[in-house]
PDB file of all heavy atoms in Angstrom:
ATOM      1  N   ILE A   1       9.924  14.992  22.263  1.00  0.00           N
ATOM      2  CA  ILE A   1       9.360  13.739  21.783  1.00  0.00           C
ATOM      3  C   ILE A   1       9.629  12.717  22.873  1.00  0.00           C
ATOM      4  O   ILE A   1      10.756  12.582  23.354  1.00  0.00           O
ATOM      5  CB  ILE A   1      10.031  13.298  20.465  1.00  0.00           C
ATOM      6  CG1 ILE A   1       9.765  14.289  19.353  1.00  0.00           C
ATOM      7  CG2 ILE A   1       9.568  11.910  20.060  1.00  0.00           C
ATOM      8  CD1 ILE A   1       8.326  14.460  18.999  1.00  0.00           C
ATOM      9  N   VAL A   2       8.590  11.985  23.268  1.00  0.00           N
ATOM     10  CA  VAL A   2       8.739  10.919  24.253  1.00  0.00           C
ATOM     11  C   VAL A   2       8.547   9.589  23.532  1.00  0.00           C
ATOM     12  O   VAL A   2       7.512   9.370  22.901  1.00  0.00           O
ATOM     13  CB  VAL A   2       7.714  11.063  25.401  1.00  0.00           C
ATOM     14  CG1 VAL A   2       7.897   9.948  26.412  1.00  0.00           C
ATOM     15  CG2 VAL A   2       7.832  12.431  26.066  1.00  0.00           C
ATOM     16  N   VAL A   3       9.560   8.724  23.617  1.00  0.00           N
ATOM     17  CA  VAL A   3       9.514   7.415  22.977  1.00  0.00           C
ATOM     18  C   VAL A   3       9.621   6.355  24.070  1.00  0.00           C
ATOM     19  O   VAL A   3      10.542   6.380  24.887  1.00  0.00           O
ATOM     20  CB  VAL A   3      10.670   7.241  21.965  1.00  0.00           C
ATOM     21  CG1 VAL A   3      10.681   5.841  21.397  1.00  0.00           C
ATOM     22  CG2 VAL A   3      10.560   8.270  20.852  1.00  0.00           C
ATOM     23  N   ASN A   4       8.669   5.434  24.077  1.00  0.00           N
ATOM     24  CA  ASN A   4       8.658   4.342  25.040  1.00  0.00           C
ATOM     25  C   ASN A   4       9.336   3.135  24.401  1.00  0.00           C
ATOM     26  O   ASN A   4       8.719   2.387  23.654  1.00  0.00           O
ATOM     27  CB  ASN A   4       7.215   4.016  25.448  1.00  0.00           C
ATOM     28  CG  ASN A   4       7.126   2.928  26.474  1.00  0.00           C
ATOM     29  OD1 ASN A   4       8.102   2.265  26.793  1.00  0.00           O
ATOM     30  ND2 ASN A   4       5.934   2.735  27.003  1.00  0.00           N
ATOM     31  N   ASP A   5      10.613   2.943  24.711  1.00  0.00           N
ATOM     32  CA  ASP A   5      11.360   1.828  24.125  1.00  0.00           C
ATOM     33  C   ASP A   5      11.075   0.515  24.847  1.00  0.00           C
ATOM     34  O   ASP A   5      11.517  -0.537  24.420  1.00  0.00           O
ATOM     35  CB  ASP A   5      12.854   2.113  24.136  1.00  0.00           C
ATOM     36  CG  ASP A   5      13.629   1.146  23.257  1.00  0.00           C
ATOM     37  OD1 ASP A   5      13.175   0.880  22.131  1.00  0.00           O
ATOM     38  OD2 ASP A   5      14.678   0.649  23.696  1.00  0.00           O
ATOM     39  N   ILE A   6      10.328   0.549  25.928  1.00  0.00           N
ATOM     40  CA  ILE A   6       9.935  -0.673  26.622  1.00  0.00           C
ATOM     41  C   ILE A   6       8.959  -1.457  25.750  1.00  0.00           C
ATOM     42  O   ILE A   6       8.962  -2.678  25.738  1.00  0.00           O
ATOM     43  CB  ILE A   6       9.322  -0.350  27.998  1.00  0.00           C
ATOM     44  CG1 ILE A   6      10.395   0.283  28.892  1.00  0.00           C
ATOM     45  CG2 ILE A   6       8.722  -1.579  28.653  1.00  0.00           C
ATOM     46  CD1 ILE A   6       9.876   0.860  30.178  1.00  0.00           C
ATOM     47  N   GLU A   7       8.136  -0.742  24.994  1.00  0.00           N
ATOM     48  CA  GLU A   7       7.147  -1.379  24.128  1.00  0.00           C
ATOM     49  C   GLU A   7       7.668  -1.657  22.721  1.00  0.00           C
ATOM     50  O   GLU A   7       6.964  -2.205  21.897  1.00  0.00           O
ATOM     51  CB  GLU A   7       5.893  -0.508  24.049  1.00  0.00           C
ATOM     52  CG  GLU A   7       5.190  -0.356  25.380  1.00  0.00           C
ATOM     53  CD  GLU A   7       4.003   0.589  25.308  1.00  0.00           C
ATOM     54  OE1 GLU A   7       3.775   1.193  24.250  1.00  0.00           O
ATOM     55  OE2 GLU A   7       3.318   0.714  26.328  1.00  0.00           O
ATOM     56  N   SER A   8       8.867  -1.237  22.434  1.00  0.00           N
ATOM     57  CA  SER A   8       9.461  -1.481  21.119  1.00  0.00           C
ATOM     58  C   SER A   8      10.936  -1.810  21.328  1.00  0.00           C
ATOM     59  O   SER A   8      11.398  -1.905  22.453  1.00  0.00           O
ATOM     60  CB  SER A   8       9.299  -0.249  20.222  1.00  0.00           C
ATOM     61  OG  SER A   8      10.015   0.835  20.773  1.00  0.00           O
ATOM     62  N   ASP A   9      11.644  -1.954  20.272  1.00  0.00           N
ATOM     63  CA  ASP A   9      13.073  -2.253  20.358  1.00  0.00           C
ATOM     64  C   ASP A   9      13.802  -1.415  19.316  1.00  0.00           C
ATOM     65  O   ASP A   9      14.289  -1.936  18.324  1.00  0.00           O
ATOM     66  CB  ASP A   9      13.324  -3.748  20.146  1.00  0.00           C
ATOM     67  CG  ASP A   9      14.758  -4.134  20.464  1.00  0.00           C
ATOM     68  OD1 ASP A   9      15.402  -3.428  21.263  1.00  0.00           O
ATOM     69  OD2 ASP A   9      15.229  -5.140  19.907  1.00  0.00           O
ATOM     70  N   LEU A  10      13.849  -0.115  19.562  1.00  0.00           N
ATOM     71  CA  LEU A  10      14.463   0.798  18.602  1.00  0.00           C
ATOM     72  C   LEU A  10      15.965   0.857  18.773  1.00  0.00           C
ATOM     73  O   LEU A  10      16.475   0.777  19.890  1.00  0.00           O
ATOM     74  CB  LEU A  10      13.894   2.209  18.797  1.00  0.00           C
ATOM     75  CG  LEU A  10      12.421   2.398  18.516  1.00  0.00           C
ATOM     76  CD1 LEU A  10      12.004   3.804  18.890  1.00  0.00           C
ATOM     77  CD2 LEU A  10      12.145   2.145  17.052  1.00  0.00           C
ATOM     78  N   LYS A  11      16.640   1.011  17.706  1.00  0.00           N
ATOM     79  CA  LYS A  11      18.081   1.224  17.710  1.00  0.00           C
ATOM     80  C   LYS A  11      18.318   2.612  17.120  1.00  0.00           C
ATOM     81  O   LYS A  11      18.474   2.764  15.912  1.00  0.00           O
ATOM     82  CB  LYS A  11      18.804   0.160  16.886  1.00  0.00           C
ATOM     83  CG  LYS A  11      18.522  -1.256  17.316  1.00  0.00           C
ATOM     84  CD  LYS A  11      19.098  -1.562  18.684  1.00  0.00           C
ATOM     85  CE  LYS A  11      18.891  -3.011  19.028  1.00  0.00           C
ATOM     86  NZ  LYS A  11      18.356  -3.210  20.364  1.00  0.00           N
ATOM     87  N   LEU A  12      18.278   3.626  17.971  1.00  0.00           N
ATOM     88  CA  LEU A  12      18.444   4.997  17.503  1.00  0.00           C
ATOM     89  C   LEU A  12      19.895   5.427  17.647  1.00  0.00           C
ATOM     90  O   LEU A  12      20.448   5.425  18.737  1.00  0.00           O
ATOM     91  CB  LEU A  12      17.541   5.948  18.298  1.00  0.00           C
ATOM     92  CG  LEU A  12      16.049   5.786  18.080  1.00  0.00           C
ATOM     93  CD1 LEU A  12      15.276   6.760  18.955  1.00  0.00           C
ATOM     94  CD2 LEU A  12      15.686   6.001  16.626  1.00  0.00           C
ATOM     95  N   THR A  13      20.504   5.800  16.539  1.00  0.00           N
ATOM     96  CA  THR A  13      21.857   6.329  16.549  1.00  0.00           C
ATOM     97  C   THR A  13      21.786   7.854  16.649  1.00  0.00           C
ATOM     98  O   THR A  13      20.720   8.455  16.483  1.00  0.00           O
ATOM     99  CB  THR A  13      22.590   5.948  15.254  1.00  0.00           C
ATOM    100  OG1 THR A  13      21.906   6.565  14.153  1.00  0.00           O
ATOM    101  CG2 THR A  13      22.639   4.441  15.056  1.00  0.00           C
ATOM    102  N   ASN A  14      22.923   8.472  16.893  1.00  0.00           N
ATOM    103  CA  ASN A  14      22.977   9.946  16.936  1.00  0.00           C
ATOM    104  C   ASN A  14      22.500  10.541  15.618  1.00  0.00           C
ATOM    105  O   ASN A  14      21.792  11.546  15.595  1.00  0.00           O
ATOM    106  CB  ASN A  14      24.398  10.417  17.239  1.00  0.00           C
ATOM    107  CG  ASN A  14      24.841  10.063  18.641  1.00  0.00           C
ATOM    108  OD1 ASN A  14      24.148   9.353  19.369  1.00  0.00           O
ATOM    109  ND2 ASN A  14      26.000  10.534  19.022  1.00  0.00           N
ATOM    110  N   LYS A  15      22.880   9.902  14.516  1.00  0.00           N
ATOM    111  CA  LYS A  15      22.492  10.390  13.189  1.00  0.00           C
ATOM    112  C   LYS A  15      20.972  10.307  12.995  1.00  0.00           C
ATOM    113  O   LYS A  15      20.360  11.231  12.475  1.00  0.00           O
ATOM    114  CB  LYS A  15      23.216   9.577  12.113  1.00  0.00           C
ATOM    115  CG  LYS A  15      23.030  10.094  10.721  1.00  0.00           C
ATOM    116  CD  LYS A  15      23.880   9.301   9.735  1.00  0.00           C
ATOM    117  CE  LYS A  15      23.673   9.820   8.328  1.00  0.00           C
ATOM    118  NZ  LYS A  15      24.503   9.101   7.354  1.00  0.00           N
ATOM    119  N   LYS A  16      20.352   9.194  13.421  1.00  0.00           N
ATOM    120  CA  LYS A  16      18.898   9.045  13.300  1.00  0.00           C
ATOM    121  C   LYS A  16      18.166  10.054  14.172  1.00  0.00           C
ATOM    122  O   LYS A  16      17.172  10.642  13.756  1.00  0.00           O
ATOM    123  CB  LYS A  16      18.475   7.631  13.680  1.00  0.00           C
ATOM    124  CG  LYS A  16      18.832   6.580  12.659  1.00  0.00           C
ATOM    125  CD  LYS A  16      18.384   5.207  13.119  1.00  0.00           C
ATOM    126  CE  LYS A  16      18.853   4.129  12.169  1.00  0.00           C
ATOM    127  NZ  LYS A  16      18.487   2.787  12.643  1.00  0.00           N
ATOM    128  N   ILE A  17      18.660  10.267  15.395  1.00  0.00           N
ATOM    129  CA  ILE A  17      18.034  11.241  16.290  1.00  0.00           C
ATOM    130  C   ILE A  17      18.125  12.631  15.685  1.00  0.00           C
ATOM    131  O   ILE A  17      17.150  13.387  15.685  1.00  0.00           O
ATOM    132  CB  ILE A  17      18.678  11.189  17.687  1.00  0.00           C
ATOM    133  CG1 ILE A  17      18.356   9.854  18.367  1.00  0.00           C
ATOM    134  CG2 ILE A  17      18.196  12.350  18.552  1.00  0.00           C
ATOM    135  CD1 ILE A  17      19.138   9.593  19.639  1.00  0.00           C
ATOM    136  N   SER A  18      19.280  12.981  15.153  1.00  0.00           N
ATOM    137  CA  SER A  18      19.469  14.287  14.529  1.00  0.00           C
ATOM    138  C   SER A  18      18.520  14.479  13.340  1.00  0.00           C
ATOM    139  O   SER A  18      17.936  15.550  13.154  1.00  0.00           O
ATOM    140  CB  SER A  18      20.927  14.425  14.079  1.00  0.00           C
ATOM    141  OG  SER A  18      21.138  15.652  13.446  1.00  0.00           O
ATOM    142  N   PHE A  19      18.339  13.430  12.530  1.00  0.00           N
ATOM    143  CA  PHE A  19      17.416  13.510  11.402  1.00  0.00           C
ATOM    144  C   PHE A  19      15.984  13.696  11.879  1.00  0.00           C
ATOM    145  O   PHE A  19      15.245  14.521  11.344  1.00  0.00           O
ATOM    146  CB  PHE A  19      17.516  12.260  10.530  1.00  0.00           C
ATOM    147  CG  PHE A  19      16.563  12.274   9.368  1.00  0.00           C
ATOM    148  CD1 PHE A  19      16.860  13.000   8.227  1.00  0.00           C
ATOM    149  CD2 PHE A  19      15.360  11.601   9.423  1.00  0.00           C
ATOM    150  CE1 PHE A  19      15.974  13.045   7.155  1.00  0.00           C
ATOM    151  CE2 PHE A  19      14.465  11.632   8.362  1.00  0.00           C
ATOM    152  CZ  PHE A  19      14.777  12.354   7.227  1.00  0.00           C
ATOM    153  N   LEU A  20      15.567  12.927  12.888  1.00  0.00           N
ATOM    154  CA  LEU A  20      14.210  13.054  13.425  1.00  0.00           C
ATOM    155  C   LEU A  20      13.965  14.443  14.009  1.00  0.00           C
ATOM    156  O   LEU A  20      12.859  14.964  13.944  1.00  0.00           O
ATOM    157  CB  LEU A  20      13.959  11.993  14.498  1.00  0.00           C
ATOM    158  CG  LEU A  20      13.874  10.553  14.023  1.00  0.00           C
ATOM    159  CD1 LEU A  20      13.852   9.613  15.217  1.00  0.00           C
ATOM    160  CD2 LEU A  20      12.636  10.350  13.156  1.00  0.00           C
ATOM    161  N   ALA A  21      14.988  15.049  14.573  1.00  0.00           N
ATOM    162  CA  ALA A  21      14.853  16.367  15.194  1.00  0.00           C
ATOM    163  C   ALA A  21      14.724  17.498  14.171  1.00  0.00           C
ATOM    164  O   ALA A  21      14.241  18.588  14.506  1.00  0.00           O
ATOM    165  CB  ALA A  21      16.045  16.644  16.102  1.00  0.00           C
ATOM    166  N   HIS A  22      15.130  17.246  12.931  1.00  0.00           N
ATOM    167  CA  HIS A  22      15.112  18.284  11.896  1.00  0.00           C
ATOM    168  C   HIS A  22      13.681  18.765  11.652  1.00  0.00           C
ATOM    169  O   HIS A  22      12.765  17.982  11.477  1.00  0.00           O
ATOM    170  CB  HIS A  22      15.712  17.729  10.596  1.00  0.00           C
ATOM    171  CG  HIS A  22      16.089  18.786   9.633  1.00  0.00           C
ATOM    172  ND1 HIS A  22      15.169  19.432   8.832  1.00  0.00           N
ATOM    173  CD2 HIS A  22      17.275  19.335   9.357  1.00  0.00           C
ATOM    174  CE1 HIS A  22      15.774  20.321   8.089  1.00  0.00           C
ATOM    175  NE2 HIS A  22      17.067  20.289   8.391  1.00  0.00           N
ATOM    176  N   ARG A  23      13.495  20.061  11.654  1.00  0.00           N
ATOM    177  CA  ARG A  23      12.156  20.650  11.566  1.00  0.00           C
ATOM    178  C   ARG A  23      11.538  20.539  10.171  1.00  0.00           C
ATOM    179  O   ARG A  23      10.324  20.585  10.027  1.00  0.00           O
ATOM    180  CB  ARG A  23      12.199  22.102  12.003  1.00  0.00           C
ATOM    181  CG  ARG A  23      12.740  22.239  13.408  1.00  0.00           C
ATOM    182  CD  ARG A  23      11.802  22.997  14.277  1.00  0.00           C
ATOM    183  NE  ARG A  23      12.359  23.060  15.618  1.00  0.00           N
ATOM    184  CZ  ARG A  23      11.806  22.493  16.666  1.00  0.00           C
ATOM    185  NH1 ARG A  23      10.686  21.838  16.536  1.00  0.00           N
ATOM    186  NH2 ARG A  23      12.344  22.589  17.854  1.00  0.00           N
ATOM    187  N   ASN A  24      12.350  20.394   9.129  1.00  0.00           N
ATOM    188  CA  ASN A  24      11.813  20.294   7.765  1.00  0.00           C
ATOM    189  C   ASN A  24      11.695  18.870   7.252  1.00  0.00           C
ATOM    190  O   ASN A  24      10.844  18.588   6.425  1.00  0.00           O
ATOM    191  CB  ASN A  24      12.686  21.097   6.796  1.00  0.00           C
ATOM    192  CG  ASN A  24      12.622  22.575   7.076  1.00  0.00           C
ATOM    193  OD1 ASN A  24      11.591  23.092   7.470  1.00  0.00           O
ATOM    194  ND2 ASN A  24      13.740  23.269   6.915  1.00  0.00           N
ATOM    195  N   PHE A  25      12.554  17.988   7.727  1.00  0.00           N
ATOM    196  CA  PHE A  25      12.593  16.631   7.176  1.00  0.00           C
ATOM    197  C   PHE A  25      12.176  15.557   8.181  1.00  0.00           C
ATOM    198  O   PHE A  25      11.877  14.440   7.795  1.00  0.00           O
ATOM    199  CB  PHE A  25      13.994  16.311   6.646  1.00  0.00           C
ATOM    200  CG  PHE A  25      14.456  17.275   5.601  1.00  0.00           C
ATOM    201  CD1 PHE A  25      15.491  18.147   5.853  1.00  0.00           C
ATOM    202  CD2 PHE A  25      13.834  17.326   4.365  1.00  0.00           C
ATOM    203  CE1 PHE A  25      15.918  19.049   4.898  1.00  0.00           C
ATOM    204  CE2 PHE A  25      14.253  18.214   3.396  1.00  0.00           C
ATOM    205  CZ  PHE A  25      15.301  19.087   3.663  1.00  0.00           C
ATOM    206  N   GLY A  26      12.190  15.875   9.458  1.00  0.00           N
ATOM    207  CA  GLY A  26      11.847  14.904  10.492  1.00  0.00           C
ATOM    208  C   GLY A  26      10.611  15.342  11.261  1.00  0.00           C
ATOM    209  O   GLY A  26       9.783  16.110  10.769  1.00  0.00           O
ATOM    210  N   ILE A  27      10.528  14.875  12.490  1.00  0.00           N
ATOM    211  CA  ILE A  27       9.411  15.225  13.371  1.00  0.00           C
ATOM    212  C   ILE A  27       9.564  16.655  13.870  1.00  0.00           C
ATOM    213  O   ILE A  27       8.604  17.404  13.966  1.00  0.00           O
ATOM    214  CB  ILE A  27       9.366  14.253  14.575  1.00  0.00           C
ATOM    215  CG1 ILE A  27       9.189  12.819  14.095  1.00  0.00           C
ATOM    216  CG2 ILE A  27       8.262  14.638  15.536  1.00  0.00           C
ATOM    217  CD1 ILE A  27       9.490  11.784  15.163  1.00  0.00           C
ATOM    218  N   GLY A  28      10.779  17.023  14.206  1.00  0.00           N
ATOM    219  CA  GLY A  28      11.083  18.346  14.733  1.00  0.00           C
ATOM    220  C   GLY A  28      10.912  18.386  16.240  1.00  0.00           C
ATOM    221  O   GLY A  28       9.805  18.253  16.740  1.00  0.00           O
ATOM    222  N   PHE A  29      12.034  18.524  16.961  1.00  0.00           N
ATOM    223  CA  PHE A  29      11.985  18.633  18.418  1.00  0.00           C
ATOM    224  C   PHE A  29      13.296  19.188  18.949  1.00  0.00           C
ATOM    225  O   PHE A  29      14.302  19.212  18.251  1.00  0.00           O
ATOM    226  CB  PHE A  29      11.672  17.286  19.067  1.00  0.00           C
ATOM    227  CG  PHE A  29      12.624  16.168  18.733  1.00  0.00           C
ATOM    228  CD1 PHE A  29      13.822  16.018  19.413  1.00  0.00           C
ATOM    229  CD2 PHE A  29      12.314  15.257  17.748  1.00  0.00           C
ATOM    230  CE1 PHE A  29      14.693  14.987  19.110  1.00  0.00           C
ATOM    231  CE2 PHE A  29      13.163  14.214  17.441  1.00  0.00           C
ATOM    232  CZ  PHE A  29      14.369  14.078  18.129  1.00  0.00           C
ATOM    233  N   ASP A  30      13.239  19.641  20.198  1.00  0.00           N
ATOM    234  CA  ASP A  30      14.435  20.130  20.880  1.00  0.00           C
ATOM    235  C   ASP A  30      15.133  19.016  21.654  1.00  0.00           C
ATOM    236  O   ASP A  30      16.353  18.979  21.719  1.00  0.00           O
ATOM    237  CB  ASP A  30      14.081  21.272  21.838  1.00  0.00           C
ATOM    238  CG  ASP A  30      13.522  22.472  21.097  1.00  0.00           C
ATOM    239  OD1 ASP A  30      14.184  22.943  20.159  1.00  0.00           O
ATOM    240  OD2 ASP A  30      12.421  22.926  21.441  1.00  0.00           O
ATOM    241  N   GLN A  31      14.342  18.130  22.254  1.00  0.00           N
ATOM    242  CA  GLN A  31      14.914  17.005  22.979  1.00  0.00           C
ATOM    243  C   GLN A  31      14.058  15.762  22.814  1.00  0.00           C
ATOM    244  O   GLN A  31      12.841  15.846  22.691  1.00  0.00           O
ATOM    245  CB  GLN A  31      15.058  17.303  24.467  1.00  0.00           C
ATOM    246  CG  GLN A  31      16.303  18.082  24.807  1.00  0.00           C
ATOM    247  CD  GLN A  31      16.605  18.018  26.291  1.00  0.00           C
ATOM    248  OE1 GLN A  31      15.703  18.043  27.118  1.00  0.00           O
ATOM    249  NE2 GLN A  31      17.882  17.953  26.624  1.00  0.00           N
ATOM    250  N   LEU A  32      14.740  14.621  22.820  1.00  0.00           N
ATOM    251  CA  LEU A  32      14.098  13.317  22.793  1.00  0.00           C
ATOM    252  C   LEU A  32      14.200  12.729  24.193  1.00  0.00           C
ATOM    253  O   LEU A  32      15.281  12.693  24.782  1.00  0.00           O
ATOM    254  CB  LEU A  32      14.810  12.402  21.798  1.00  0.00           C
ATOM    255  CG  LEU A  32      14.455  10.922  21.836  1.00  0.00           C
ATOM    256  CD1 LEU A  32      13.036  10.702  21.334  1.00  0.00           C
ATOM    257  CD2 LEU A  32      15.437  10.121  21.007  1.00  0.00           C
ATOM    258  N   ILE A  33      13.080  12.287  24.732  1.00  0.00           N
ATOM    259  CA  ILE A  33      13.046  11.618  26.028  1.00  0.00           C
ATOM    260  C   ILE A  33      12.781  10.150  25.731  1.00  0.00           C
ATOM    261  O   ILE A  33      11.750   9.801  25.171  1.00  0.00           O
ATOM    262  CB  ILE A  33      11.962  12.212  26.939  1.00  0.00           C
ATOM    263  CG1 ILE A  33      12.212  13.713  27.118  1.00  0.00           C
ATOM    264  CG2 ILE A  33      11.916  11.490  28.274  1.00  0.00           C
ATOM    265  CD1 ILE A  33      11.086  14.442  27.829  1.00  0.00           C
ATOM    266  N   PHE A  34      13.729   9.310  26.100  1.00  0.00           N
ATOM    267  CA  PHE A  34      13.729   7.899  25.720  1.00  0.00           C
ATOM    268  C   PHE A  34      13.541   7.057  26.976  1.00  0.00           C
ATOM    269  O   PHE A  34      14.398   7.044  27.865  1.00  0.00           O
ATOM    270  CB  PHE A  34      15.068   7.600  25.044  1.00  0.00           C
ATOM    271  CG  PHE A  34      15.090   6.406  24.156  1.00  0.00           C
ATOM    272  CD1 PHE A  34      14.300   6.341  23.025  1.00  0.00           C
ATOM    273  CD2 PHE A  34      15.933   5.344  24.428  1.00  0.00           C
ATOM    274  CE1 PHE A  34      14.340   5.237  22.183  1.00  0.00           C
ATOM    275  CE2 PHE A  34      15.994   4.237  23.601  1.00  0.00           C
ATOM    276  CZ  PHE A  34      15.192   4.188  22.474  1.00  0.00           C
ATOM    277  N   LEU A  35      12.415   6.355  27.070  1.00  0.00           N
ATOM    278  CA  LEU A  35      12.133   5.495  28.214  1.00  0.00           C
ATOM    279  C   LEU A  35      12.592   4.080  27.886  1.00  0.00           C
ATOM    280  O   LEU A  35      12.201   3.520  26.868  1.00  0.00           O
ATOM    281  CB  LEU A  35      10.643   5.491  28.528  1.00  0.00           C
ATOM    282  CG  LEU A  35      10.000   6.864  28.743  1.00  0.00           C
ATOM    283  CD1 LEU A  35       8.508   6.701  28.982  1.00  0.00           C
ATOM    284  CD2 LEU A  35      10.648   7.588  29.889  1.00  0.00           C
ATOM    285  N   THR A  36      13.419   3.500  28.745  1.00  0.00           N
ATOM    286  CA  THR A  36      13.978   2.171  28.515  1.00  0.00           C
ATOM    287  C   THR A  36      13.713   1.264  29.713  1.00  0.00           C
ATOM    288  O   THR A  36      13.245   1.711  30.755  1.00  0.00           O
ATOM    289  CB  THR A  36      15.498   2.238  28.272  1.00  0.00           C
ATOM    290  OG1 THR A  36      16.135   2.755  29.439  1.00  0.00           O
ATOM    291  CG2 THR A  36      15.822   3.107  27.081  1.00  0.00           C
TER     292      THR A  36
END
């Protein structure tokens, strides 16, 4: 997942990233690429 934080102002914690990565409850991914 590629997230452009330059265009937004996200506050992603480890817990939120882990939830988003979950294949059944979130988006599902192996790695998040965060552009700042």
Side-chain angles (χ1 to χ4, degrees):
I1 296 298
V2 180
V3 175
N4 182 351
D5 193 44
I6 295 170
E7 296 176 355
S8 64
D9 190 25
L10 296 174
K11 304 292 185 228
L12 292 178
T13 63
N14 292 7
K15 187 175 179 179
K16 287 180 185 177
I17 293 170
S18 179
F19 179 80
L20 291 171
H22 196 281
R23 303 234 178 245
N24 294 325
F25 302 112
I27 300 165
F29 57 83
D30 297 307
Q31 277 196 322
L32 168 69
I33 302 171
F34 202 63
L35 306 177
T36 63

